[in-house]
Amino acid sequence: MTKLFKNSKIGKLQLKNKIIMAPMCMYKSDNSGEIKQFHHYHYVSRALGGVGLIIVEATAVEARGRISNNDLGLWSDEQIKKHKKLNKKMHFFGAKTAIQIAHAGRKSEVVDSTPIAPSAIAFSTKNPYKIPVEATLNDILEIKNHFIDAAIRARKANYDAIELHAAHGYFLCEFLSPLTNKREDVYGGSLENRCRLVIEIAKDIKEKVKLPLIVRISANEWMSNGWSVEDSIYLSKELEKIGVDAIHVSSGGNQEKPDASPKIEPLYQSEFAKSIKASINIPVIAVGLITTSKDAEYLLENEYCDFVAFGRALLRNPNLAYEMASDLYEMDIIKSSYKRAY
C-alpha cells in the first residue's frame, strides 16, 4: 500500500489515510456565526469523497475574534447543536473531524467591533483594517478562557480533534512575532515569553478537553528580522513536551508586505515542514500548493511530513482522494459508486 493511503494516527485518533482537508474560510455564515446549509454540503461532500481528516474552517472563540462578519463561531453553547449535526453527517461517510479554533486579533475585519492584539499595531493602513487595542493581562486571560471554552464545546459537538490556530498573522501568531509583539510583560520580549500564550492555551486544552490537539503555525513570517524556522522548531519542541499531538506547518500571513517572500510554487512550504519534523517526534502536517498524488507521496516517502493537507485542490475536486487513489493504483479505496469514473 502507498504511504498516502496507509492507516495512521494523530494521538489516539485513527485515520484511514494521510489525506487532510486543510481549514479554509468559506465566509458563508452570518452575524450569528452559526453553521449553515452550505457547510453541510461543502464538508459532507469531502467526507463522502474519502478524506481521512476534515478540519473545519477557522471558527472564532469570540465574536470580535472573527475575521469577518460571515465567519463561523463557537463562542456560545447555542452554537453546539448545529456543529454536532454537521459532525454526525461527516462521520456517517467515514471521515474523522477536527475544528480550527481561532481569534483574528488585529486582522479582524468585523465592522461593529474594535480588534484586539498583543500591541496596538495595525495590520494595514488600508480599510477595512483598524488600529487594534493592546490587550491587558485581564484581556489575555479572558481570551485564553475563550479558547478553552470553545475547545470544550468542540468536544460536546463530537469533533474528534481540535486544531489551535497560531498561524497566518492572527491573534496567537501576533504574540509569537517580535515584529507584532512589543510587550514588556511576561508575554513579550524573549522568545520564551512570546511563545508563552500559545503554550499555556495548548496545555490547558490538553488537560481539560482530552482530545488530540493539532497546533497550526506559520513556520516563517517571511521577514528578515521576524519569526523564523528556528523559532518554530523551539515552539514545536515545547508543544511536544506538553502533549500536543501534531504540528501543522504553514507560513506567512503576519505582514502586509513581507520582505523575504518565497516563490509561491508547488511544495513551497515543504522544507519548513521537513526541518520541524527532523526536530520533533510527533506528526507533522505539510500544506501549501500540494496538488498531486505524486507530490504527496514524494513528501511522505522522503520524510518531509507525516500527513498531507490539501486546500485549493479539495475546493476544485471533492473526490480528490479517489482521484489520487486511482493515480496510485489503490482502486480498492474508491467507493463502488464512483469506480466507473476511474
Side-chain angles (χ1 to χ4, degrees):
M1 175 170 279
T2 55
K3 287 187 176 294
L4 189 62
F5 287 96
K6 185 178 179 180
N7 291 348
S8 302
K9 286 184 177 182
I10 293 179
K12 295 181 179 179
L13 180 61
Q14 184 75 48
L15 302 177
K16 63 184 178 182
N17 58 45
K18 295 176 180 287
I19 297 172
I20 294 177
M21 182 176 180
M24 293 172 283
C25 294
M26 294 290 103
Y27 307 113
K28 286 294 187 180
S29 186
D30 54 28
N31 221 37
S32 70
E34 291 192 335
I35 294 282
K36 302 296 183 182
Q37 281 289 357
F38 168 87
H39 299 99
H40 288 273
Y41 290 106
H42 174 65
Y43 288 112
V44 176
S45 64
R46 275 73 187 174
L48 177 60
V51 172
L53 175 65
I54 295 172
I55 306 179
V56 170
E57 65 201 76
T59 302
V61 300
E62 66 165 333
R64 76 173 160 180
R66 292 171 292 170
I67 302 168
S68 79
N69 287 77
N70 300 110
D71 284 17
L72 289 180
L74 201 46
W75 62 76
S76 166
D77 288 349
E78 294 177 357
Q79 294 163 327
I80 295 172
K81 183 178 179 181
K82 291 184 179 180
H83 281 273
K84 193 171 185 178
K85 184 176 180 182
L86 174 62
N87 266 307
K88 184 177 181 179
K89 292 182 179 180
M90 290 189 287
H91 287 146
F92 180 82
F93 289 109
K96 300 299 184 182
T97 66
I99 186 168
Q100 185 185 69
I101 55 174
H103 193 295
R106 69 177 187 155
K107 291 181 77 174
S108 175
E109 301 174 26
V110 175
V111 297
D112 49 358
S113 64
T114 300
I116 190 168
S119 300
I121 305 169
F123 177 72
S124 171
T125 58
K126 302 172 185 175
N127 286 330
Y129 298 104
K130 307 170 188 176
I131 298 174
V133 297
E134 181 172 314
T136 66
L137 289 176
N138 283 337
D139 291 331
I140 292 171
L141 177 60
E142 184 179 88
I143 292 172
K144 180 166 41 169
N145 288 333
H146 287 326
F147 273 101
I148 296 162
D149 290 343
I152 292 169
R153 292 186 187 104
R155 182 191 62 203
K156 291 179 178 178
N158 291 336
Y159 283 101
D160 300 302
I162 294 165
E163 180 168 280
L164 183 62
H165 198 356
H168 300 162
Y170 299 119
F171 188 73
L172 296 182
C173 182
E174 293 160 18
F175 273 85
L176 298 175
S177 169
L179 302 181
T180 48
N181 182 349
K182 301 296 184 180
R183 303 180 70 88
E184 297 180 354
D185 58 18
V186 295
Y187 291 104
S190 68
L191 176 60
E192 179 184 4
N193 280 357
R194 287 183 278 114
C195 292
R196 187 183 304 276
L197 183 57
V198 173
I199 294 168
E200 286 180 348
I201 292 173
K203 186 173 185 290
D204 282 347
I205 290 174
K206 284 299 298 181
E207 290 176 352
K208 296 179 181 181
V209 183
K210 308 297 185 185
L211 287 178
L213 178 63
I214 303 164
V215 178
R216 198 180 212 200
I217 61 172
S218 284
N220 190 317
E221 71 173 308
W222 307 343
M223 294 290 284
S224 54
N225 296 310
W227 180 262
S228 68
V229 176
E230 291 73 26
D231 296 333
S232 291
I233 290 171
Y234 167 82
L235 175 60
S236 298
K237 287 180 176 179
E238 294 301 307
L239 291 170
E240 181 181 11
K241 288 178 186 177
I242 62 168
V244 165
D245 298 280
I247 305 295
H248 192 169
V249 182
S250 189
S251 67
N254 197 38
Q255 303 296 333
E256 182 184 20
K257 297 179 180 178
D259 63 16
S261 301
K263 183 178 180 182
I264 308 300
E265 59 186 0
L267 312 189
Y268 74 103
Q269 294 179 154
S270 60
E271 290 293 339
F272 300 144
K274 188 171 188 179
S275 295
I276 292 171
K277 178 173 168 54
S279 304
I280 59 176
N281 298 302
I282 55 176
V284 167
I285 303 166
V287 70
L289 285 183
I290 307 167
T291 60
T292 69
S293 57
K294 179 181 178 181
D295 284 345
E297 195 71 9
Y298 171 82
L299 293 175
L300 294 167
E301 287 180 348
N302 290 279
E303 298 188 346
Y304 282 77
C305 59
D306 302 281
F307 293 87
V308 182
F310 299 89
R312 293 172 178 85
L314 270 168
L315 290 183
R316 290 190 292 269
N317 181 6
N319 289 333
L320 180 69
Y322 294 156
E323 183 175 291
M324 291 186 170
S326 176
D327 292 342
L328 297 171
Y329 305 103
E330 297 274 14
M331 297 303 292
D332 289 344
I333 300 295
I334 305 172
K335 297 287 187 183
S336 59
S337 301
Y338 293 99
K339 280 187 177 180
R340 74 189 74 178
Y342 304 97

